[in-house]
Amino acid sequence: MGLSGSENSGTSLSRRPRIALTTYYQEGSWGDWSSVAAIVPGAYVEGIAAAGGTPLLLPPVGTDPSVLELVDGLIVIGGVDVDPRFYGADRHELTSSQPSRDLHDIALTRAALEMGVPLFAICRGAQILNVALGGTLIQHLPDVNPNAGQYQPGPGRYGKVQFSTVPGSRCASLLGESAESPCYHHQALDEVAEGLIVTARAADGTIEAVETTTGAWTLGVQFHPEENRKDARLFEGFIDVARRFAAERDHHDDHRGAERQPQHDREDALHP
């Protein structure tokens, strides 16, 4: 059941849409303790909550893509580089990856696409989306663009990217003809996978957004909208789509439940 950013199904939802997020899985600390932990930067969960959703974390342990049957949307968050073996390339000396997380994120991405669950893929998430569908990545942007240092100006320091959108795209419907956002990446999409179209680029040609051409609502962005607290349009647009997806699915499930109800039970309900 595909939904575009501008469609309105006319259905309603009495609960907050449930949004699954992928997570980091690495060393963390809390109180007196320090150990491996499932971690999500607060900006993601706060962005979902502020837009009206309920965040649910899916760490890369015990991966089960069928869990997406229980949620109304999926966000694949940022993080370390995608291992180049997943797109048939040799490793660049500056590529750092966590293959177990790649497997988890790729499996969830493919499941969301197959199941029609709204998908919002952010930074590494956009790269995962492209790789999951057969695309490739530029492993180190400064190798092909000497001015690409703006995208990752220093450790733990976000850059800023300005980009133009393609008219008629989901990205354009939410952001207009152009926008800017915090960014932090040294890799980018190279060969775009079949089934995706580029819907935003920076002035230097770097791909900033991709979308599916058919099927469910899917948007991948190379930048970090969760860090742009003054501009929540992408999160609000995604949650709106997830809300309508959930309402349609709940209505469909209620209808199927009524059809499965034995005839005598339905007659008793009508004539108590």
Side-chain angles (χ1 to χ4, degrees):
M1 66 181 74
L3 289 171
S4 74
S6 60
E7 291 173 341
N8 191 332
S9 66
T11 57
S12 61
L13 186 67
S14 59
R15 59 173 175 80
R16 295 166 68 94
R18 300 159 185 155
I19 308 300
L21 299 97
T22 59
T23 79
Y24 291 79
Y25 194 67
Q26 59 193 57
E27 192 74 15
S29 61
W30 56 96
D32 296 329
W33 305 98
S34 181
S35 183
V36 174
I39 301 171
V40 174
Y44 290 103
V45 294
E46 291 164 12
I48 290 171
T54 296
L56 303 170
L57 308 189
L58 297 181
V61 178
T63 303
D64 178 7
S66 71
V67 74
L68 296 184
E69 296 173 0
L70 307 176
V71 303
D72 311 310
L74 171 67
I75 294 182
V76 182
I77 72 168
V80 297
D81 304 326
V82 181
D83 195 295
R85 69 185 174 93
F86 290 107
Y87 52 96
D90 294 329
R91 179 180 293 273
H92 190 285
E93 60 181 2
L94 296 178
T95 293
S96 175
S97 63
Q98 297 173 336
S100 61
R101 186 178 169 197
D102 294 334
L103 288 167
H104 176 76
D105 290 4
I106 289 172
L108 289 175
T109 295
R110 288 174 175 165
L113 293 169
E114 291 171 2
M115 297 165 60
V117 175
L119 172 62
F120 189 16
I122 296 174
C123 196
R124 161 194 160 86
Q127 297 169 5
I128 284 284
L129 172 63
N130 193 46
V131 169
L133 292 176
T136 65
L137 305 178
I138 300 169
Q139 288 194 58
H140 192 54
L141 270 172
D143 288 349
V144 298
N145 178 3
N147 298 317
Q150 62 176 315
Y151 297 116
Q152 195 178 67
R157 178 183 163 201
Y158 285 98
K160 182 172 287 187
V161 60
Q162 296 181 330
F163 52 89
S164 299
T165 64
V166 173
S169 65
R170 292 171 183 141
C171 201
S173 72
L174 293 171
L175 297 179
E177 296 180 359
S178 63
E180 66 177 28
S181 177
C183 61
Y184 191 80
H185 62 98
H186 78 111
Q187 299 194 344
L189 275 62
D190 187 9
E191 181 181 345
V192 177
E194 183 178 353
L196 295 177
I197 57 171
V198 176
T199 56
R201 287 185 186 269
D204 63 8
T206 300
I207 296 172
E208 295 297 334
V210 290
E211 302 173 12
T212 47
T213 55
T214 59
W217 193 99
T218 299
L219 175 63
V221 298
Q222 185 59 77
F223 48 90
H224 279 277
E226 80 284 357
E227 294 295 333
N228 193 355
R229 306 302 178 95
K230 295 181 179 180
D231 187 352
R233 289 177 292 177
L234 289 182
F235 273 82
E236 290 171 350
F238 173 66
I239 295 299
D240 183 55
V241 169
R243 182 179 294 110
R244 287 184 274 119
F245 171 83
E248 288 186 3
R249 184 168 60 181
D250 287 356
H251 175 75
H252 180 67
D253 289 346
D254 289 345
H255 181 68
R256 286 197 306 175
E259 290 181 338
R260 287 195 299 265
Q261 188 179 11
Q263 181 65 31
H264 63 82
D265 287 349
R266 277 181 278 171
E267 291 175 349
D268 290 345
L270 291 171
H271 306 286

